[in-house]
Amino acid sequence: MEHSSINSLTSPSRNTALFERAKKLIPGGVNSPVRAFKAVGGTPRFIQRAQGAYFWDADGKRYIDYIGSWGPMILGHGHPAVVEAVQAAVLEGFSYGAPTEREVELAEEIVKLVPSLEMVRLVSSGTEATMSVIRLARGATRRSKIIKFEGCYHGHSDALLVKAGSGLATFGSPTSAGVPPEVVQHTLVLEYNHIVQLEEAFSLHGKDIACLMIEPIAGNMNFVRASVPFIKRCRELCTEYGALLVFDEVMTGFRVALGGAQSVYAKSIPGFKPDMTALGKVIGGGMPMAAFGGSRAVMEHLAPIGSVYQAGTLSGNPVATACGLATLREIQKPGFYDALGARTRSLVEGLTQAATKAGVPFCSDSEGGMFGFFLLSQLPQNYPQVMKTDSPAFNRFYHAMLDSGVYYAPALYEAGFVSAAHTADDIETTIAAARDFFSSLASK
Ligand SMILES: Cc1ncc(COP(=O)(O)O)c(C=O)c1O
């Protein structure tokens, strides 16, 4: 007994050993870059299992999980109804490459819950959804140019890995090696929430713009809302110039409200609807599943009835559809979003109070089960303002929380997620850990 505890003190952690092993075979040791902890430093935790609001790493340490697989796990991990649906589906076969009734049921469910959608196509990742939306928008409008906003992430397809060019008349430049400049020459990158710039862009290029794509609440800038006047102007200009307004709700869909962020904006802008929507994360409940949709008129441009090609071997996978359907059924239960929203608010309000009491600049926001916080005294409105965050301070906060068993996204620019499995005790434990950190700063 004594011997093994000494061993565990002196031997390197299993997380470290696994990271070293992974780095020999997998670039950077991870299959998606942000998991590598490059932004916050230290060793990524290799997760062994998860249940409810928690996961356990390879050293057996438990964390309260506020990333929920970057959004999908809105019910928490291992929800019994979802597990049961997946187990039953697996017994019927993993994949057929032929249509199934469950795909129709999932499409029916999505279209019922998101009123702007008349038709949807199921795909396997958010990247595939946004990439396909762009091809479809270009095919349907017979135009080439697209607008996106600095700080919004829409997956890693070539046309969307773009940063702003030197002016409105010039188009963006690639943010990744391997993307030829010609591939992004039709992508115009504008500042988020900047109405004047948006108007100028439409007056210069409006008749050539196929679509404007936006994260309505930008979870890839931690948590920045598009203002209501900005969304209203996006809608008006798209309509005026015949461009399609695309809401990328891969993160916000079924996460901020049952009808997604578009239902939140529709409360302030009567009759508001985007033309197209990309969905992912929650609709798969943790399995590879995403979708895009819009009006019948636009969607019927897709093959096999239209001339815009789009396909996928695993699209509408029967196990993933079972997982997504079971998840969507749970979140429609009465009071689900009221409870989720209240719990999430209690977290961000508690964190803000703890920081404010210790005199640490801090601000936060949330909608439904999605939240963000900044070590800034005012909520940012765009990417340059987000960039003003003191990143070493964030990293100290991050590691203090991690040591206390609280797992936030390991990067300053990422939103957080609360699930229906998080209890009031989990929130209180989290706030107490933050309070300790903030008061240690104040006493320095
Ligand atoms: C808003 C948004 N769009 C698209 C994507 C890409 O989705 P995926 O990682 O499933 O390809 C993400 C991923 O985080 C996202 O947050």
Side-chain angles (χ1 to χ4, degrees):
M1 191 67 197
E2 199 178 332
H3 182 70
S4 71
S5 68
I6 288 169
N7 254 353
S8 70
L9 282 177
T10 52
S11 60
S13 87
R14 248 182 85 63
N15 290 309
T16 309
L18 283 170
F19 193 36
E20 291 311 313
R21 206 171 124 203
K23 281 192 286 190
K24 290 189 185 130
L25 298 166
I26 303 171
V30 291
N31 285 311
S32 197
V34 73
R35 297 180 195 172
F37 273 37
K38 217 172 155 191
V40 292
T43 305
R45 304 308 192 251
F46 280 65
I47 306 307
Q48 211 156 45
R49 70 188 172 92
Q51 186 57 47
Y54 314 117
F55 57 40
W56 286 261
D57 72 9
D59 288 320
K61 182 174 165 89
R62 191 194 85 166
Y63 300 86
I64 304 175
D65 173 18
Y66 288 108
I67 102 167
S69 184
W70 301 89
M73 310 312 299
I74 195 163
L75 302 175
H77 298 280
H79 187 286
V82 180
V83 171
E84 196 183 313
V86 169
Q87 281 174 336
V90 163
L91 294 178
E92 290 168 357
F94 286 50
S95 184
Y96 319 121
T100 64
E101 182 171 355
R102 219 176 281 132
E103 287 165 88
V104 186
E105 284 179 315
L106 184 59
E108 283 167 349
E109 209 65 21
I110 293 171
V111 166
K112 176 185 91 185
L113 296 172
V114 185
S116 66
L117 305 179
E118 288 175 355
M119 298 187 100
V120 282
R121 170 143 300 167
L122 303 180
V123 293
S124 303
S125 73
T127 294
E128 233 187 309
T130 53
M131 179 183 80
S132 306
V133 163
I134 284 175
R135 187 177 308 138
L136 177 55
R138 285 173 163 162
T141 60
R142 299 183 180 274
R143 298 172 176 185
S144 301
K145 299 191 191 316
I146 59 173
I147 290 181
K148 83 173 280 287
F149 296 94
E150 200 184 4
C152 288
Y153 175 68
H154 303 291
H156 63 92
S157 67
D158 285 359
L160 292 165
L161 289 180
V162 198
K163 61 178 182 249
S166 52
L168 274 182
T170 59
F171 282 72
S173 48
T175 52
S176 165
V179 178
E182 308 84 68
V183 173
V184 300
Q185 66 181 334
H186 299 298
T187 308
L188 181 57
V189 185
L190 305 181
E191 190 171 297
Y192 201 70
N193 276 327
H194 195 318
I195 291 181
V196 174
Q197 206 182 77
L198 180 74
E199 288 171 342
E200 282 171 15
F202 269 96
S203 74
L204 278 172
H205 304 288
K207 292 204 171 67
D208 300 321
I209 294 170
C211 70
L212 175 160
M213 182 175 278
I214 187 165
E215 272 188 271
I217 299 175
N220 291 288
M221 286 192 267
N222 197 322
F223 191 105
V224 180
R225 289 174 193 265
S227 74
V228 169
F230 186 68
I231 290 293
K232 194 159 171 269
R233 205 66 193 114
C234 288
R235 177 65 281 173
E236 287 164 355
L237 288 164
C238 283
T239 305
E240 186 181 333
Y241 286 91
L244 299 176
L245 175 60
V246 181
F247 262 30
D248 178 352
E249 297 228 43
V250 167
M251 191 183 288
T252 53
F254 303 106
R255 169 51 76 176
V256 298
L258 189 55
Q262 52 199 269
S263 70
V264 176
Y265 285 93
K267 284 188 198 155
S268 310
I269 311 170
F272 174 80
K273 279 182 189 174
D275 298 305
M276 303 208 61
T277 301
L279 293 165
K281 301 198 189 259
V282 169
I283 64 164
M287 297 204 76
M289 170 64 64
F292 62 97
S295 68
R296 182 174 307 280
V298 171
M299 291 299 285
E300 286 190 341
H301 283 273
L302 276 181
I305 41 178
S307 55
V308 177
Y309 191 69
Q310 191 282 327
T313 300
L314 296 177
S315 292
N317 174 271
V319 184
T321 44
C323 190
L325 259 178
T327 303
L328 292 192
R329 287 184 178 139
E330 287 302 312
I331 64 178
Q332 289 175 63
K333 293 194 168 157
F336 181 88
Y337 284 92
D338 290 343
L340 183 67
R343 189 118 302 163
T344 311
R345 271 194 306 280
S346 71
L347 171 69
V348 292
E349 282 166 9
L351 292 174
T352 307
Q353 269 166 20
T356 310
K357 210 164 163 201
V360 175
F362 192 93
C363 57
S364 59
D365 197 359
S366 71
E367 189 70 45
M370 175 172 163
F371 67 88
F373 57 78
F374 298 91
L375 299 173
L376 294 171
S377 43
Q378 236 185 340
L379 282 172
Q381 299 299 310
N382 55 37
Y383 187 65
Q385 290 175 10
V386 172
M387 294 284 284
K388 290 192 179 135
T389 304
D390 177 350
S391 103
F394 173 83
N395 293 350
R396 284 194 296 278
F397 174 72
Y398 181 80
H399 279 288
M401 297 300 279
L402 194 67
D403 290 347
S404 313
V406 174
Y407 195 102
Y408 289 125
L412 165 61
Y413 305 106
E414 307 289 348
F417 304 99
V418 170
S419 77
H422 286 79
T423 63
D425 273 357
D426 295 327
I427 304 292
E428 193 34 58
T429 305
T430 306
I431 295 168
R435 198 180 293 128
D436 285 349
F437 173 76
F438 293 138
S439 40
S440 78
L441 288 185
S443 62
K444 272 183 190 158

